Amino acid sequence: MEIERHQYDVVVIGAGGAGLRAAIEARQQGKKTAIVCKSLFGKAHTVMAEGGAAAAMGNVNPGDSWKVHFRDTMRGGKFLNNWRMAELHAQEAPDRVWELEAWGALFDRTKDGKISQRNFGGHEYPRLAHVGDRTGLEMIRTLQQRVVALQQEDFAVHGDYEAYIKVFAECTITRLLKDGDAIAGAFGYRRETGQLLAFDTPAVVLATGGIGKSYVVTSNSWEYTGDGHALALLAGAKLINMEFIQFHPTGMVWPPSVRGILVTESVRGDGGVLRNAEGKRFMFDYIPEVFKHQYATTEEEGDRWYTDQANNRRPPELLPRDEVARAINSEVKAGRGSPQGGVFLDVSTRLPAEEIRRRLPSMHHQFKELADVDITAEPMQVGPTCHYIMGGVEVEADTGAASVPGLFAAGEVSGGMHGSNRLGGNSLSDLLVFGRRAGAGAAGYIDSLDRRPTASAESVAEAKAEALAPLQRAGENPYEVHHELQRTMNELVGIIRKADEITEALEAVQKLKERAAGVGAAGSRIYNPGWHLSLDLRNMLLVSECVARAALTRQESRGGHTRDDYPAMSPAWRRKLLVCGASPDGSAVTVEEKAQPSMRGDLISLFERTELSKYLTEEELTEYDKAVEESR
Amino acid sequence: MTYKAKFRVWRGEGGEGKLEDFTVEVNEGEVVLDIIHRLQATQAPDLAVRWNCKAGKCGSCSVEINGRPRLGCMTRMSTFTEDEVITVTPMRTFPVIKDLVCDVSYNYEKAREIPSFTPPADVKPGEYRMKQIDVERSQEFRKCIECFMCNNVCHVIRDHEENKPAFAGPRFLMRIAELDMHPYDVADRQDSAQDDHGLGYCNITKCCTEVCPEHIKITDNALIPMKERVVDRRYDPLVWLGNKIFKRSDSKTT
């Protein structure tokens, strides 16, 4: 069969918030851009984001500023964040949100007609621009419609909607192609027809999202098979922070078939409380030392905070997600869980029914339709669910460039921005800020080239053989291998980890890798999910191995990485990043330590010494004192 | 709670196909999409179905269940009796690619024909001021998850391929209404709704509203008000009389 070939300046893989924003930027800078996505246009995982986009616009509380947002982000990530990314993110998020409004987004409003902002875990001020609890849908639709608007502009000028920006929907990329060290293209197939296709392009932006489908209980959709993480590794790029996975504290726990589906943090932001089987608001028992002075210690104070934030501290239900998830996990383990194996999340006794329906319409709908629970009248039952990976492709903060020339990454597939734990609401703004920067980075890279790299015919032939292999084998059912991987990761490299369990997981992953090499897909190439899964398995296994190896290496507990055998946070480990690499065939996954660069003086001076002393080594504190001294 | 259900699922590709019978396990709390997935994992690994979020938020898994357009992920098995045969077929209005997957490109072509949001040239990002009450009408329409079931069920195109070129379908007529009601949109949308996108074909039978999984009142809140706006402009008797008497040749009213 002939391979369909296309020439583009930039190929963006993934059409969620980051991918679309990157593509829009590349096209706005005059580059011929392709958007390649596994689903239909407008269905990406971003639609599932509920709470909002964090941006320090100060519309609700004028005390907010990028500096406060920056501090919250670093605290949430337990100071492991790439501080330059956290800085850019906090500074640029407001412009990115306002830009959406100019493209047609309709956010909820404040009384004076500005974009309304809601409270969320770990954010000092109300900060999340939102539309009810369907903010992700609003964002994806707005970006989708912006792409269409650009296509209409191109149609007016060139008579062709797709002259400068084209969406290749339901296409999967299986390999990045290179010319020497540099990116030269991407190879994949059309899901609908099985047609193979190759893009000749000097720049690829990865925006493929996360890896949740390696776990049983997850809020992620089928698309989240770690494609971008794996493509980057196989192309010679590095992944960082892969041990940090966010388990969202509140996923549905019943019925079994919807276990893991997200229950938005807005429920708590808008007043919802967590209770155990004894009816106790248990989060008051779980305020960690580092957050002691920022959270209410009594229910009365926590409740007053919703109406008077100046004179009260926030309730501990709004601690960062890693803290709340671990607390729920402990309550259930201690036998104080709800009948269906979670804890109670109650908003029914906290807000009038009408208000709940207005503020949380999709939660109301979701529980009514899927679990027969009326959240305006009874509590929900919730438990932790695999939600987000903080780790990803190691990139340059300003441009999104990976170590491989021509490779860029933005959004969940990139690593660093969120450190060891992401704050709710920081993902949607991350997509916009770094999607734009990666698109601009790719455009700038192309301008700097004196010749276009070309992929060798050999590498295309290899990619073709790899893609077609499962169809030519009468092997094991790929669904079996997938289910076993999910069980392995869920049980052995989940929310609480131990060295012997991780080691066991690594052995299991090795065996699954061998089995995956022999899976077969019956049927034709036309829309064949068995074939698609057979190819996705390579990525899931590779990424799972990175997660497990990094988790085994990091001997401390921090954010989305909790080691039962090393329960404390260690200042020495804070200075170390774990960097994963692999050989081009996906064997030999390596983990190396790399020093975390010290924070710039003007940024570190934004924090108090007493707070920093909980995170930093003595040596770093001496540097801090010097920075403060100099800034005087 | 576990029982064996009888399923009839449309299988086929390239314009040909038939209903195939399956007996498959069903557990408590499951939805139709779970059962389709079980079929994939155990009996028919190449059975094609679109899906993504499995929570009613992305609008990918639109199919017809016992002849009714439904999201597979939001149709609970407990709504059927245990001995009922459940028939799952692809959406009828769009060409079938394979099994339960349709070619929905019609919808994307129509989306591209609707002129985009057009704000006044002098309003800069960050300067927008809108009251909640003024954005709520359009916000209702922006709840749309683009499952395309409204377009699938609409009789104007459901069995009338010939109407497709001239008719945008409820989804995109609603998009026009959304933009027309946007406080900052300055484009003229009313004439084009009628002339270019086929608003006149709609005779408000409300089938679209009935199948909308987001419970958007497509007919009452988008299509009828849009029709009224067109009527106000075109068929106001005073305007009509004025046109007749003064024979305004430049008038768009006919």
Side-chain angles (χ1 to χ4, degrees):
Chain A
M1 188 191 241
E2 285 285 299
I3 297 169
E4 195 183 307
R5 281 196 100 116
H6 300 276
Q7 265 77 41
Y8 280 91
D9 296 329
V10 180
V11 171
V12 178
I13 307 175
L20 293 181
R21 190 62 191 81
I24 289 166
E25 192 62 24
R27 153 61 184 77
Q28 288 181 163
Q29 301 206 10
K31 305 300 176 214
K32 194 178 167 198
T33 305
I35 302 168
V36 187
C37 53
K38 293 211 285 189
S39 287
L40 293 172
F41 189 29
K43 305 298 182 195
H45 204 273
T46 306
V47 302
M48 297 197 62
E50 291 162 354
M57 297 182 283
N59 291 351
V60 172
N61 189 324
D64 205 5
S65 73
W66 78 262
K67 290 176 182 169
V68 186
H69 191 181
F70 169 78
R71 277 204 302 255
D72 289 346
T73 301
M74 294 297 295
R75 276 177 195 137
K78 302 264 162 58
F79 286 79
L80 196 92
N81 317 50
N82 177 317
W83 48 262
R84 175 64 178 159
M85 289 174 97
E87 177 193 15
L88 290 170
H89 169 259
Q91 286 172 341
E92 294 177 6
D95 281 338
R96 297 287 80 76
V97 170
W98 285 322
E99 179 177 75
L100 288 183
E101 194 166 59
W103 293 342
L106 284 172
F107 293 102
D108 287 346
R109 318 305 300 180
T110 61
K111 284 204 170 57
D112 56 354
K114 296 178 183 169
I115 294 171
S116 177
Q117 300 187 265
R118 72 158 38 116
N119 286 306
F120 236 55
H123 292 281
E124 190 170 336
Y125 294 114
R127 190 176 283 148
L128 271 64
H130 61 275
V131 188
D133 53 4
R134 57 159 190 87
T135 315
L137 174 68
E138 185 67 15
M139 200 163 110
I140 203 98
R141 202 63 81 229
T142 303
L143 293 170
Q144 180 185 351
Q145 287 164 350
R146 174 64 185 164
V147 169
V148 168
L150 292 170
Q151 290 181 324
Q152 290 172 344
E153 281 177 20
D154 292 338
F155 182 77
V157 178
H158 307 285
D160 177 6
Y161 285 113
E162 294 172 338
Y164 276 88
I165 186 165
K166 182 175 161 82
V167 180
F168 291 79
E170 301 201 301
C171 292
T172 304
I173 298 297
T174 55
R175 275 278 170 181
L176 300 179
L177 305 171
K178 287 169 73 177
D179 180 348
D181 287 338
I183 291 294
F187 183 91
Y189 62 92
R190 290 184 180 273
R191 303 174 77 84
E192 288 183 3
T193 57
Q195 169 72 47
L196 301 175
L197 70 177
F199 293 89
D200 294 303
T201 180
V204 166
V205 179
L206 296 172
T208 53
I211 63 137
K213 272 296 148 184
S214 296
Y215 287 78
V216 181
V217 181
T218 175
S219 63
N220 294 169
S221 80
W222 68 266
E223 294 191 291
Y224 267 34
T225 50
D227 295 6
H229 290 85
L231 290 171
L233 265 186
L234 295 173
K238 305 289 183 201
L239 307 183
I240 56 166
N241 296 351
M242 290 302 285
E243 64 275 32
F244 299 110
I245 292 182
Q246 180 168 85
F247 289 82
H248 194 291
T250 60
M252 290 177 80
V253 292
W254 194 93
S257 77
V258 298
R259 190 153 178 217
I261 289 181
L262 190 64
V263 179
T264 176
E265 189 168 324
S266 319
V267 175
R268 284 170 284 138
D270 288 353
V273 294
L274 290 164
R275 291 200 182 94
N276 63 19
E278 295 159 4
K280 184 176 178 196
R281 275 178 75 177
F282 58 85
M283 279 311 300
F284 287 95
D285 300 341
Y286 291 92
I287 307 173
E289 195 49 46
V290 290
F291 290 120
K292 271 266 149 45
H293 58 288
Q294 288 150 14
Y295 287 82
T297 43
T298 63
E299 291 191 25
E300 293 70 28
E301 183 183 0
D303 285 351
R304 283 196 306 267
W305 175 84
Y306 286 102
T307 46
D308 176 12
Q309 287 160 17
N311 298 307
N312 296 286
R313 291 170 298 176
R314 55 188 33 236
E317 275 90 357
L318 290 175
L319 275 161
R321 289 174 174 174
D322 53 329
E323 309 290 354
V324 184
R326 273 193 299 272
I328 293 175
N329 195 65
S330 307
E331 285 297 303
V332 174
K333 272 203 170 154
R336 295 187 293 268
S338 70
Q340 290 159 356
V343 295
F344 295 105
L345 171 60
D346 185 24
V347 70
S348 67
T349 56
R350 312 270 303 169
L351 287 176
E354 193 41 50
E355 194 62 13
I356 295 171
R357 277 191 292 267
R358 196 181 69 77
R359 290 205 211 178
L360 303 165
S362 74
M363 284 305 102
H364 181 251
H365 182 68
Q366 178 175 315
F367 272 87
K368 195 86 198 133
E369 303 266 333
L370 293 173
D372 253 338
V373 167
D374 179 359
I375 67 165
T376 66
E378 54 191 312
M380 298 160 246
Q381 296 185 42
V382 296
T385 177
C386 176
H387 183 57
Y388 187 91
I389 183 153
M390 273 66 73
V393 182
E394 185 179 30
V395 292
E396 236 177 63
D398 291 64
T399 59
S403 56
V404 174
L407 186 62
F408 298 80
E412 190 172 351
V413 70
S414 68
M417 157 71 203
H418 304 289
S420 69
N421 174 53
R422 175 175 68 78
L423 290 185
N426 269 1
S427 181
L428 290 185
S429 41
D430 167 13
L431 306 183
L432 296 169
V433 168
F434 293 104
R436 177 183 152 279
R437 282 191 164 269
Y445 168 77
I446 296 161
D447 292 340
S448 75
L449 290 178
D450 45 20
R451 69 164 192 101
R452 275 178 81 103
T454 48
S456 68
E458 203 181 14
S459 62
V460 175
E462 279 169 21
K464 177 182 172 178
E466 181 184 44
L468 294 178
L471 287 164
Q472 287 149 1
R473 287 192 294 252
E476 188 185 355
N477 181 345
Y479 295 92
E480 293 288 330
V481 178
H482 183 212
H483 289 163
E484 191 151 335
L485 173 67
Q486 289 183 305
R487 278 194 298 272
T488 303
M489 292 303 285
N490 220 79
E491 284 165 21
L492 304 176
V493 200
I495 181 165
I496 310 287
R497 300 156 177 182
K498 290 185 189 119
D500 55 339
E501 289 183 351
I502 306 171
T503 309
E504 194 186 329
L506 279 166
E507 285 161 12
V509 168
Q510 275 318 318
K511 288 193 187 112
L512 288 170
K513 269 184 156 179
E514 287 160 28
R515 280 168 64 186
V519 295
S524 78
R525 278 161 64 167
I526 299 175
Y527 219 111
N528 184 342
W531 176 38
H532 304 164
L533 178 60
S534 303
L535 296 173
D536 293 343
L537 276 176
R538 178 200 69 190
N539 302 340
M540 285 188 272
L541 283 159
L542 192 52
V543 169
S544 297
E545 186 174 346
C546 291
V547 171
R549 286 199 187 280
L552 186 60
T553 310
R554 183 172 287 275
Q555 294 177 333
E556 66 156 349
S557 293
R558 178 184 300 273
H561 171 65
T562 305
R563 283 284 295 266
D564 213 25
D565 40 0
Y566 297 94
M569 193 156 63
S570 138
W573 269 105
R574 195 203 70 83
R575 306 201 72 180
K576 295 179 197 167
L577 297 173
L578 295 178
V579 184
C580 295
S583 54
D585 65 352
S587 63
V589 171
T590 54
V591 181
E592 282 168 18
E593 286 178 15
K594 183 176 168 177
Q596 166 88 295
S598 302
M599 216 187 295
R600 221 173 52 221
D602 59 314
L603 293 177
I604 202 161
S605 313
L606 295 172
F607 296 92
E608 297 290 328
R609 195 179 201 281
T610 44
E611 178 173 18
L612 290 175
S613 65
K614 296 168 189 166
Y615 297 98
L616 306 191
T617 59
E618 281 305 320
E619 191 189 336
E620 289 172 294
L621 286 168
T622 316
E623 279 176 41
Y624 167 82
D625 293 336
K626 225 189 298 167
V628 172
E629 197 60 42
E630 277 166 20
S631 68
R632 269 190 199 131
Chain B
M1 288 298 189
T2 298
Y3 72 99
K4 300 274 185 195
K6 291 189 189 63
F7 264 68
R8 308 195 77 189
V9 182
W10 179 265
R11 307 276 335 251
E13 58 190 49
E16 294 187 5
K18 60 177 178 4
L19 287 168
E20 262 180 42
D21 290 301
F22 294 96
T23 303
V24 52
E25 183 182 305
V26 174
N27 302 307
E28 190 185 3
E30 288 184 332
V31 294
V32 168
L33 184 61
D34 290 317
I35 312 307
I36 300 291
H37 283 156
R38 184 159 299 126
L39 287 175
Q40 275 183 344
T42 58
Q43 303 182 40
D46 62 336
L47 170 60
V49 61
R50 270 202 191 100
W51 70 287
N52 255 40
C53 75
K54 219 177 161 287
K57 291 185 168 63
C58 76
S60 299
C61 60
S62 310
V63 290
E64 299 194 1
I65 298 170
N66 292 344
R68 276 189 76 85
R70 300 291 306 258
L71 292 179
C73 72
M74 297 301 277
T75 307
R76 299 180 71 190
M77 288 302 296
S78 59
T79 56
F80 308 103
T81 59
E82 292 192 4
D83 53 1
E84 202 170 342
V85 178
I86 297 160
T87 305
V88 188
T89 50
M91 289 191 283
R92 191 164 95 190
T93 303
F94 311 117
V96 176
I97 293 170
K98 181 182 168 190
D99 304 337
L100 301 175
V101 174
C102 294
D103 174 0
V104 291
S105 53
Y106 161 83
N107 300 284
Y108 289 95
E109 284 157 21
K110 292 296 169 187
R112 209 143 67 178
E113 289 166 8
I114 314 276
S116 296
F117 172 57
T118 313
D122 58 344
V123 183
K124 292 189 186 63
E127 292 179 356
Y128 286 66
R129 295 291 178 272
M130 299 179 265
K131 293 286 179 197
Q132 181 63 33
I133 195 158
D134 295 326
V135 299
E136 268 168 10
R137 293 184 81 182
S138 296
Q139 276 186 333
E140 181 191 4
F141 310 142
R142 289 183 73 83
K143 276 162 52 185
C144 171
I145 58 173
E146 298 205 328
C147 65
F148 306 129
M149 292 200 294
C150 57
N151 282 359
N152 171 52
V153 83
C154 180
H155 63 275
V156 176
I157 47 173
R158 186 164 169 93
D159 288 308
H160 293 279
E161 199 65 27
E162 71 278 12
N163 287 339
K164 281 186 178 172
F167 185 63
R171 162 62 188 121
F172 298 104
L173 292 170
M174 179 173 84
R175 165 78 171 144
I176 298 173
E178 172 211 315
L179 290 165
D180 206 40
M181 295 175 194
H182 189 300
Y184 274 89
D185 188 78
V186 296
D188 181 3
R189 310 219 170 244
Q190 292 156 16
D191 281 322
S192 85
Q194 193 76 2
D195 298 338
D196 307 328
H197 305 293
L199 181 62
Y201 282 82
C202 166
N203 50 6
I204 55 176
T205 51
K206 300 198 182 185
C207 310
C208 51
T209 304
E210 261 178 53
V211 300
C212 178
E214 286 295 306
H215 308 296
I216 302 170
K217 295 197 170 60
I218 305 171
T219 320
D220 287 354
N221 292 352
L223 305 184
I224 292 175
M226 207 57 212
K227 279 171 175 280
E228 286 169 352
R229 289 176 179 212
V230 171
V231 167
D232 282 350
R233 168 172 297 194
R234 296 193 169 194
Y235 305 113
D236 185 303
L238 285 178
V239 176
W240 179 82
L241 196 65
N243 286 340
K244 281 289 170 196
I245 294 167
F246 301 109
K247 294 195 188 341
R248 285 189 209 148
S249 57
D250 60 338
S251 170
K252 285 161 97 181
T253 313
T254 48

